[in-house]
Each structure stands twice: as C-alpha cells, then as structure tokens.
C-alpha cells in the first residue's frame, strides 16, 4: 500500500487533544483513531477556545496548509466560540463564518486534499419534555448551506448528537460529559458539571458518530480503512 492517508482536524475544545491537567476531559478527535486501522494517520490541530476566525489569525490554518498533501482529508468543525461576543472570536453565521470556513475548504482543495464540514455538537441542555434545546442558533444551518453551496461532504453532528442525546436521556447523558463529584478526580478537586465538554466515554461516542458519518458518506479510502 502507498502513503498513509492523514486526517487533519481543525476545531475547538470539543475536538481537541487534552493536556494531562485537563483529563478526564477528552475531545472527539482523540478518540477517532479508535475506529481506523493503522493505515490512517491523524493530525489534530483543534485547540481549546478557538473560533473559525482566531484559528486563522493565530496561524493554525497555515500549519495545516504547510502539511496537508494530495489525498489527505481535512475535517473542519467550529461554532462554539464563533458565537462569543469577543472581537477576536466572533463571526456572523451567514457572512464571516461562512467566509472563514471557505478558507479552510480552499486550503484542502488547493493541496488536492478532501475537505469535510462538521457542524457543532449540541450541549447537554434538555427541555421539560426531554428534547434538546438549541444553543447554537444559525451556525449549524450555515454549515449545511455552505456544504451544499460548495459541494463539500457534511457530517451533520448537530443532528447526530441531538438524536444520540435524546435517545440517551437527560440523566444517562451526563456520562457523556465532564461531570465529576468533589474528590472524584485530582484535576477537579471541587467537582465539575460541564455540559459542553466530554468525558472519555462521551468523546468516544461522538467520535463514533463521526465515523458513522464517514461510512454513510462512503468517503474513500477512509470508509474502507475502518475497523
């Protein structure tokens, strides 16, 4: 077999590889390799606290551009921090958000690589009827629109995570997120109740949804290199 395929990941804390002092918090990008043979390599550039804008201005997209090669894949997922009203982070869904994401797509295509768009994973926020409350507004639909406009494969993580969380339910879905009791883990001596970031189990379940999306889209050769 020829050169291994590399999946590059650009995104925020929900996908990022976590430092030891943040464990057991885990990003889905850390667990995605669990679903592939060793013929697929991973370069996870996702970083805590970044938006589609700040990832570019800090030179992180350029790092991908310098490394990505023909036949590789580039998975692109932002939104959580694009929503924040800070000048270095905020993007407007239908204009600047789409414009920034288009830059990522162009980096992949210029290299002869394959871009894949993913929209945001839902936070764990249920209404009284056990349905997920939308906390991402116009950002997930903007990704769907851009994927259609530019003919980019879309893994709809907003919809896939909604379905998973609602099927699991308000109580059991705590296990997907960083919920710890005081004294349960030395990194969080006072405990933590975080409905955005994932436990190791939750990160693996979100990575499973990504892997299912790859299989459903029949992204080759990736779909043929899954365990």
């Amino acid at each position: 077999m020829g050169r291994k395929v590399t999946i590059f990941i650009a995104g925020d804390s929900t996908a990022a590889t976590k430092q030891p002092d943040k464990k057991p918090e885990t990003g889905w990008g850390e667990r995605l390799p669990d679903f592939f043979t060793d013929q697929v390599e991973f370069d996870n550039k996702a970083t805590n606290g970044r938006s589609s804008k700040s990832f570019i201005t800090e030179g992180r997209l350029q790092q991908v551009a310098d490394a990505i090669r023909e036949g590789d894949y580039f998975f692109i997922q932002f939104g959580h921090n694009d929503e924040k009203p800070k000048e270095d982070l905020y993007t407007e869904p239908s204009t600047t958000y789409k414009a920034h994401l288009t830059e990522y797509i162009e980096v992949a295509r210029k290299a002869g690589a394959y871009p894949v768009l993913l929209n945001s994973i839902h936070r764990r926020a249920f209404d009284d009827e056990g349905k997920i409350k939308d906390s991402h507004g116009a950002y997930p639909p903007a990704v769907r629109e851009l994927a259609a406009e530019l003919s980019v494969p879309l893994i709809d993580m907003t919809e896939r995570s909604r379905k998973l969380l609602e099927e699991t339910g308000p109580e059991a879905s705590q296990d997907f997120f960083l919920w710890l009791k005081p004294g349960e883990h030395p990194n969080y001596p006072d405990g933590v109740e975080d409905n955005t970031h994932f436990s190791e189990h939750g990160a693996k379940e979100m990575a499973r949804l990504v892997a299912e999306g790859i299989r459903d889209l029949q992204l080759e050769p990736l779909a043929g290199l899954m365990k």
Side-chain angles (χ1 to χ4, degrees):
M1 187 153 179
R3 185 180 71 85
K4 294 180 180 181
V5 177
T6 299
I7 296 177
F8 289 81
I9 302 172
D12 54 37
S13 58
T14 58
T17 299
K18 306 300 175 179
Q19 297 302 311
D21 65 340
K22 293 295 185 184
K23 291 294 184 179
E25 183 183 329
T26 309
W28 65 258
E30 292 183 82
R31 306 314 308 177
L32 191 58
D34 297 351
F35 298 92
F36 289 89
T37 70
D38 61 7
Q39 288 301 312
V40 181
E41 296 184 335
F42 293 83
D43 193 338
N44 187 3
K45 301 290 190 191
T47 307
N48 290 16
R50 271 56 180 189
S51 71
S52 65
K53 178 180 180 180
S54 66
F55 194 93
I56 294 173
T57 57
E58 293 176 0
R60 299 176 190 277
L61 179 57
Q62 186 59 49
Q63 292 176 10
V64 176
D66 292 343
I68 198 166
R69 297 290 181 263
E70 183 176 356
D72 289 337
Y73 273 84
F74 189 14
F75 284 34
I76 306 153
Q77 182 189 54
F78 289 96
H80 273 82
N81 299 304
D82 289 76
E83 306 166 6
K84 295 180 178 177
K86 293 178 64 178
E87 185 178 351
D88 60 332
L89 296 176
Y90 180 75
T91 64
E92 197 281 323
S94 64
T95 57
T96 46
Y97 184 50
K98 282 186 173 181
H100 290 312
L101 293 178
T102 300
E103 291 188 47
Y104 293 77
I105 292 163
E106 290 172 347
V107 161
R109 288 179 167 169
K110 184 177 179 181
Y114 304 109
V116 179
L117 287 169
L118 300 84
N119 47 15
S120 298
I121 294 170
H122 274 294
R123 296 181 175 96
R124 181 181 165 274
F126 288 85
D127 66 18
D128 293 340
E129 297 177 350
K131 301 296 184 184
I132 284 289
K133 294 192 284 189
D134 176 30
S135 62
H136 294 300
Y139 290 90
V143 178
R144 296 184 189 116
E145 291 166 9
L146 187 65
E149 290 163 11
L150 299 183
S151 299
V152 176
L154 169 71
I155 299 177
D156 194 333
M157 290 298 289
T158 306
E159 179 59 23
R160 288 174 183 268
S161 62
R162 180 197 63 77
K163 186 177 180 183
L164 174 64
L165 291 171
E166 289 182 354
E167 288 175 349
T168 306
E171 294 304 317
S173 62
Q174 281 186 16
D175 290 343
F176 294 153
F177 291 86
L178 191 65
W179 274 61
L180 296 167
K181 295 172 183 173
E184 190 173 347
H185 194 283
N187 283 342
Y188 302 89
D190 299 327
V192 62
E193 296 182 1
D194 182 337
N195 291 313
T196 298
H197 301 101
F198 309 120
S199 64
E200 186 163 353
H201 169 61
K204 184 152 187 172
E205 289 307 303
M206 298 307 162
R208 188 187 309 279
L209 296 182
V210 176
E212 289 172 358
I214 292 167
R215 189 178 284 116
D216 291 347
L217 289 166
Q218 297 184 315
L219 299 180
E220 295 298 347
L222 297 182
L225 296 172
M226 301 180 77
K227 293 179 181 176

